[in-house]
């Protein structure tokens, strides 16, 4: 094998060093990510400048770039907490969160890359224990899930204040009670429902009775008014009108004028 000319060796060395330099000096940040620059000889983590945005970047080979996902992320947590009377409650929650973009350097410097495990998860667990500890099991079973979520969110926000992350929402997927407690609560709720149905039937019957009484009273009052308005002359006139109408009928009959009570006609025959 022939040896390379001595003049080419320096060129090869320069090319290799150049390739290594370029390889260590380029950073590609993907969509939904941002980079935190660490200057080895310039004061460490850069916190007073905006993070490196998506795209291709060239940095000094002795510096480092730590890439973070800055999109909204999701954590599913299942934890056991205690109710106000000391019973175990299993709580399944989902947390939506993201790092605060403009403070990504501070997050990296003060909390590190494992901020989810060190910061967010402990805060949510603590908030869950605080909120669930305010309620009895039957209250958790019947309580609106949205109100529990809101309380947990507020507690978490307080714990993560000035921690360079933001929690967008906490969703309670499930609240699991001990089987015996759950059965007892369901029996109680069933009894309460049956009681409400019985009260509804009683109230309906009472209203129907009241309606009938009002209707009967109205009819009686109408009859009183009608009786008071029917004088002897009016009745006699009505009788005469009825006699005239009957006399026009084709059926055979005999009409005796003035022989009835109070001088009213008597009609005989209805062939």
């Amino acid at each position: 094998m022939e040896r390379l000319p001595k003049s080419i060796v320096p060129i090869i060395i320069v090319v290799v060093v150049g390739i290594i330099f370029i390889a260590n000096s380029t950073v590609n940040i993907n969509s939904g990510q941002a980079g935190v620059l660490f200057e080895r000889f310039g004061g460490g983590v850069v916190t007073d400048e905006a993070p490196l945005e998506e795209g291709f970047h060239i940095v000094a080979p002795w510096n480092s770039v730590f890439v973070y996902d800055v999109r909204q992320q999701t954590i599913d947590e299942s934890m056991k907490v205690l109710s106000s009377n000391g019973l175990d409650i299993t709580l399944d929650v989902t947390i939506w969160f993201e790092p605060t973009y403009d403070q990504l350097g501070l997050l990296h410097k003060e909390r590190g890359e494992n901020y989810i495990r060190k910061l967010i998860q402990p805060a949510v667990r603590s908030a869950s224990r605080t909120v669930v500890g305010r309620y009895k099991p039957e209250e958790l079973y019947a309580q609106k899930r949205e109100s529990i979520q809101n309380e947990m969110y507020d507690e978490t926000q307080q714990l993560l204040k000035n921690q360079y992350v933001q929690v967008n929402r906490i969703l309670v997927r499930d609240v699991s009670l001990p089987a015996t407690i759950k059965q007892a609560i369901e029996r109680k709720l069933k009894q309460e429902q049956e009681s409400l149905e019985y009260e509804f039937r009683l109230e309906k019957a009472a209203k129907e009775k009241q309606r009938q009484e009002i209707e009967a009273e109205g009819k009686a009052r109408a009859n009183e008014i009608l009786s008071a308005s029917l004088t002897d002359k009016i009745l006699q006139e009505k009788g005469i009108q009825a006699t005239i109408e009957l006399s026009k009928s084709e059926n055979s009959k005999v009409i005796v004028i003035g022989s009835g009570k109070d001088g009213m006609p008597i009609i005989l025959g209805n062939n």
Side-chain angles (χ1 to χ4, degrees):
M1 183 176 178
E2 296 182 359
R3 297 180 62 183
L4 294 173
K6 292 183 179 181
S7 60
I8 297 180
V9 173
I11 297 175
I12 295 175
I13 294 174
V14 170
V15 171
V16 171
V17 171
I19 293 173
I20 295 173
F21 182 86
I22 293 174
N24 291 330
S25 301
T26 59
V27 176
N28 185 47
I29 299 178
N30 295 323
S31 176
Q33 296 179 335
V36 176
L37 180 62
F38 176 79
E39 296 180 339
R40 194 172 304 276
F41 304 111
V45 178
V46 176
T47 59
D48 56 353
E49 296 180 8
L52 299 179
E53 298 179 350
E54 302 171 0
F56 183 80
H57 299 270
I58 297 177
V59 298
W62 52 84
N63 293 336
S64 302
V65 175
F66 297 88
V67 178
Y68 282 80
D69 191 341
V70 293
R71 293 169 293 194
Q72 178 172 274
Q73 302 168 63
T74 300
I75 301 175
D76 291 332
E77 282 285 307
S78 181
M79 64 198 87
K80 284 191 175 182
V81 292
L82 298 179
S83 63
S84 62
N85 55 359
L87 292 175
D88 285 334
I89 308 296
T90 301
L91 201 65
D92 293 334
V93 301
T94 296
I95 308 104
W96 293 350
F97 71 95
E98 60 189 89
T100 305
Y101 185 86
D102 294 337
Q103 297 178 321
L104 198 59
L106 291 170
L107 176 65
H108 179 76
K109 182 176 182 178
E110 298 182 17
R111 300 294 177 260
E113 295 176 277
N114 293 325
Y115 72 94
I116 297 175
R117 179 176 58 84
K118 295 179 179 179
L119 192 65
I120 294 180
Q121 289 176 318
V124 172
R125 291 168 185 167
S126 177
S128 301
R129 287 192 295 268
T130 300
V131 171
V132 174
R134 298 170 182 163
Y135 296 96
K136 295 179 181 179
E138 57 269 25
E139 293 173 329
L140 289 170
Y141 190 84
Q143 185 80 5
K144 291 182 179 179
R145 187 167 299 181
E146 185 176 353
S147 62
I148 298 175
Q149 293 176 168
N150 292 338
E151 289 186 42
M152 291 177 59
Y153 174 79
D154 292 339
E155 290 287 341
T156 304
Q157 289 288 76
Q158 289 296 321
L159 293 172
L160 294 178
K161 188 176 181 180
N162 299 324
Q163 296 297 321
Y164 319 120
V165 295
Q166 63 183 57
V167 173
N168 298 330
R169 193 170 183 185
I170 294 179
L171 305 175
V172 176
R173 302 195 311 274
D174 187 42
V175 178
S176 299
L177 307 178
T180 54
I181 300 297
K182 183 178 180 181
Q183 292 170 1
I185 292 173
E186 288 177 346
R187 286 195 300 269
K188 181 180 178 181
L189 292 175
K190 183 178 180 181
Q191 292 171 357
E192 290 177 352
Q193 183 64 31
E194 291 175 349
S195 177
L196 289 174
E197 291 178 358
Y198 180 70
E199 291 178 2
F200 173 76
R201 290 196 296 269
L202 290 178
E203 183 179 356
K204 184 178 179 181
K207 288 183 178 180
E208 178 63 19
K209 180 181 177 181
Q210 184 181 15
R211 185 193 66 80
Q212 292 176 354
E213 290 175 351
I214 293 173
E215 183 178 354
E217 183 179 350
K219 288 181 179 179
R221 179 59 179 163
N223 289 334
E224 289 178 3
I225 295 172
L226 180 61
S227 298
S229 65
L230 293 177
T231 63
D232 293 341
K233 290 185 177 181
I234 292 177
L235 290 173
Q236 189 176 20
E237 182 180 352
K238 295 291 184 182
I240 293 172
Q241 291 177 353
T243 301
I244 294 172
E245 293 298 326
L246 286 171
S247 66
K248 296 178 181 179
S249 172
E250 296 180 355
N251 297 328
S252 300
K253 80 279 295 178
V254 176
I255 302 175
V256 181
I257 304 298
S259 297
K261 185 179 179 181
D262 298 327
M264 293 295 295
I266 296 176
I267 303 171
L268 302 176
N270 55 354
N271 295 329

